[in-house]
Amino acid sequence: MIQAAQAVHVAAATTPSSDGSALGAVTDWAVNLMETIGAPGAGLAIALENLFPPLPSEVILPLAGFTASRGNFSLFEAILWTTLGSVVGAFALYALGAWLGRDRMRRLVSRVPLIDIEDVDKVEDWFNRHGYRAVFFGRMIPLFRSLVSIPAGIERMPVPVFLLLTTAGSLIWNSIFVLAGFYLGENWHIVEQYANTFQKIVIVAVVLFAIWFVVSKVRKHRAKRV
């Protein structure tokens, strides 16, 4: 176990990064958390990532997979706890949105470092256009993954539906990155480079699904008129 922990520290410390010490600090923090309390530490890190979007899940999730590959905990535990952390963090923001309402929530978010109120407006507009689908697909888009819970709470989206869509979307996103980190081993950091590509694929999927939905509704309406 000690050798596994040392290997994780070495891999994290040697991770190339464009923003230097900032990413290194995140990896060190995540590694220490996972070493201290195991798989629940990965879940806690992801829960905090939901509450503080500047924390990159694209780093934490592959690192959790790599840690699992070293025997600190199982792959199943890594996916289970990170998904649970995603749901807990998302529900916390949902509850805040429902409790504070739109205006007070906007004032609160505007005080959070590294988050622009314009980002909240974009997510709110995306939620209004795509409805419940935004919660599912939003779990696979950085920043949207956290902020989409706010309009869902403000609009009082049914809690069981919110939790179901959040769990499903988070499970897909988390599994992909945890598995990648698990099988890439000490090259887990490569996953971050492909996160933007995966994000674009999800956005295209949302647009295509929206087009299909509108077209099918129009055709159904015309068929009834005939």
Side-chain angles (χ1 to χ4, degrees), residues 165-182:
L165 294 176
T166 297
T167 301
S170 298
L171 179 61
I172 294 173
W173 174 267
N174 293 358
S175 296
I176 289 173
F177 283 85
V178 169
L179 285 168
F182 184 87

Side-chain angles (χ1 to χ4, degrees), residues 1-172:
M1 183 68 72
I2 294 176
Q3 291 180 343
Q6 289 175 339
V8 174
H9 266 298
V10 170
T14 57
T15 299
S17 171
S18 59
D19 55 355
S21 60
L23 183 56
V26 171
T27 55
D28 285 343
W29 167 75
V31 167
N32 289 328
L33 200 57
M34 294 178 206
E35 281 184 6
T36 303
I37 56 178
L44 177 58
I46 291 299
L48 293 175
E49 180 268 336
N50 271 264
L51 295 173
F52 303 100
L55 291 175
S57 71
E58 295 85 353
V59 172
I60 298 173
L61 290 170
L63 183 55
F66 171 63
T67 306
S69 74
R70 307 303 299 185
N72 290 47
F73 42 81
S74 70
L75 179 60
F76 173 78
E77 287 177 306
I79 294 175
L80 174 65
W81 280 99
T82 55
T83 301
L84 180 60
S86 296
V87 174
V88 170
F91 185 71
L93 287 178
Y94 172 97
L96 278 175
W99 178 44
L100 295 176
R102 186 174 186 273
D103 293 337
R104 286 194 295 171
M105 192 67 193
R106 283 171 58 84
R107 287 196 296 270
L108 177 63
V109 172
S110 66
R111 298 172 185 170
V112 178
L114 303 179
I115 299 181
D116 297 325
I117 198 65
E118 290 80 9
D119 293 327
V120 179
D121 293 336
K122 290 178 182 178
V123 175
E124 185 176 9
D125 179 64
W126 202 63
F127 179 84
N128 291 334
R129 283 189 287 117
H130 298 290
Y132 292 179
R133 295 186 299 278
V135 174
F136 173 76
F137 288 106
R139 299 302 164 197
M140 304 174 223
I141 303 176
L143 190 63
F144 277 62
R145 175 169 54 255
S146 299
L147 298 181
V148 74
S149 300
I150 296 175
I154 293 173
E155 298 298 327
R156 301 298 178 95
M157 179 180 178
V159 172
V161 177
F162 174 80
L163 292 177
L164 177 62
L165 294 176
T166 297
T167 301
S170 298
L171 179 61
I172 294 173

